[in-house]
Amino acid sequence: MVSIMETLTIKTENKFRTLITKQAYKMGDVMCVMPSENIMDKPNRFTVQIAKDKHTHVGKLAALNHSCDPNVVLDTERMLMIARRDIEKGEELSFFYPATEWEMQAPFICLCGSANCIHVVAGARFLPLSTLENHYLNKHIREMMIELLNGTKVHLKKLQSA
Ligand SMILES: [Zn+2]
């Protein structure tokens, strides 16, 4: 099994942190196990959401930046980081934040330059389904999306019967 994170290194430039891989990967490779020793009920900038009310402190992986065209996926059911495409040695790693985060504590503007850029990164609940369906989404995000849609349906019914 892959040892945790020893192939990953954090680079800091003008206080901006990036996570760099020291080795190449093929699409689908398991790159590391996500840390899960430190779970809390609220998000912060060092956490990744793994269930509706669970956020895990991810250690070095907190240096992963967001991209709308990312090269890694965080699978929060298996707690693994997986290569979304072939990755070269020395490449910066990134993932699509709304794939794990429902509602982020500190939203920001994305300048990734991808043709599919979502621009405002605030969590999955603020994105249209048509955008989300182009991305790998974790189970808790899909479940919360369904919950939100059902809530909207109930609300609409109430409006119609009023
Ligand atoms: Zn973007």
Side-chain angles (χ1 to χ4, degrees), residues 45-114:
R45 63 197 182 92
F46 304 107
T47 61
V48 163
Q49 189 170 10
I50 56 169
K52 192 173 177 182
D53 300 307
K54 280 187 186 167
H55 304 264
T56 183
H57 200 291
V58 286
K60 246 185 188 179
L61 298 188
L64 276 170
N65 287 310
H66 164 89
S67 170
C68 301
D69 185 20
N71 52 10
V72 308
V73 152
L74 297 181
D75 178 338
T76 61
E77 275 186 90
R78 294 188 293 161
M79 294 304 281
L80 299 173
M81 181 164 86
I82 296 160
R84 187 173 170 259
R85 53 173 166 79
D86 291 356
I87 298 172
E88 283 172 40
K89 181 180 167 178
E91 234 185 278
E92 182 192 340
L93 304 178
S94 59
F95 82 105
F96 186 70
Y97 284 9
T100 62
E101 306 306 302
W102 179 245
E103 193 169 348
M104 285 165 51
Q105 203 201 21
F108 60 90
I109 303 295
C110 182
L111 301 168
C112 76
S114 144

